[in-house]
């Protein structure tokens, strides 16, 4: 069973409905004892990195998430939830993240190297470009998925970037190391590609990720 972490800043409805379409059991909770019963965890997120980390720290969820990840529990961060997996963010002042993956969350500059301006946030459908094989991407096609974000992950650890998209800069779109995964886009809003990724995550939770 997957536990969806409720800290007041996630799109719980769309994520839960996606799991229902996959006929996979889940629960939504902010209770640490309840979340400890989950075989896998999803950390959704919409909004400010700083506010999210404040809530996670105040509620003890940040330490819980780190401990669960270090104990091998499969963890999937979505959108802001993916960014929270990294070391820090410059959004609204430098803020430390969960530090499960190496990298900093930075804002799209909105200006190309040649001086042309472009729209921020990055919003709409953009194409995935696969970089490294992963159980999360098993049998998934390189197609378009749905993004909404003004900040992206800047990381020198290129091995952690499983798939990227291009929006003036290379945007880490799917990340992962070990049992920790993340998608910058919303898989639950990304048609069959997003649903395939969620199905693969459920398979990983069930220990079927390499079948």
């Amino acid at each position: 069973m997957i536990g969806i972490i409720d800290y007041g800043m996630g799109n719980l409805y769309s994520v839960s409905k996606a799991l229902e379409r996959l006929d996979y059991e889940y629960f939504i909770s902010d209770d640490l004892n309840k979340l400890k019963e989950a075989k896998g965890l999803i950390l959704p997120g919409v909004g400010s990195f700083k506010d999210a980390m404040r809530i996670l720290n105040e509620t003890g969820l940040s330490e819980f998430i780190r401990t669960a990840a270090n104990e091998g529990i499969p963890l999937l961060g979505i959108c802001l939830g993916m960014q929270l997996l990294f070391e820090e963010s410059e959004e609204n002042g430098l803020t430390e993240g969960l530090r499960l993956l190496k990298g900093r969350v930075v804002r799209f500059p909105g200006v190309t190297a040649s001086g042309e301006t472009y729209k921020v946030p990055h919003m709409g459908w953009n194409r995935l470009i696969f970089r490294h094989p992963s159980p999360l991407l098993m049998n998934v096609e390189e197609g378009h998925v749905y993004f909404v974000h003004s900040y992206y992950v800047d990381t020198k650890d290129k091995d952690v970037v499983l798939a990227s998209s291009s929006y003036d800069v290379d945007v880490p779109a799917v990340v992962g190391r070990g049992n920790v995964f993340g998608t910058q886009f919303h898989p639950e809003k990304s048609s069959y590609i997003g649903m395939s990724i969620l199905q693969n995550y459920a398979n990983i939770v069930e220990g079927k990720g390499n079948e």
Side-chain angles (χ1 to χ4, degrees), residues 121-136:
H122 173 206
M123 182 166 60
W125 296 82
N126 205 342
R127 186 174 182 81
L128 287 182
I129 303 167
F130 290 178
R131 301 299 184 186
H132 299 288
S134 168
L136 194 66

Side-chain angles (χ1 to χ4, degrees), residues 37-65:
E37 300 174 4
K39 295 176 66 176
L41 297 166
I42 292 180
L43 179 65
V46 176
S48 163
F49 189 106
K50 182 181 287 290
D51 290 342
M53 281 306 305
R54 175 182 55 78
I55 295 169
L56 292 177
N57 288 331
E58 288 176 352
T59 58
L61 282 166
S62 58
E63 188 59 33
F64 165 77
I65 293 168

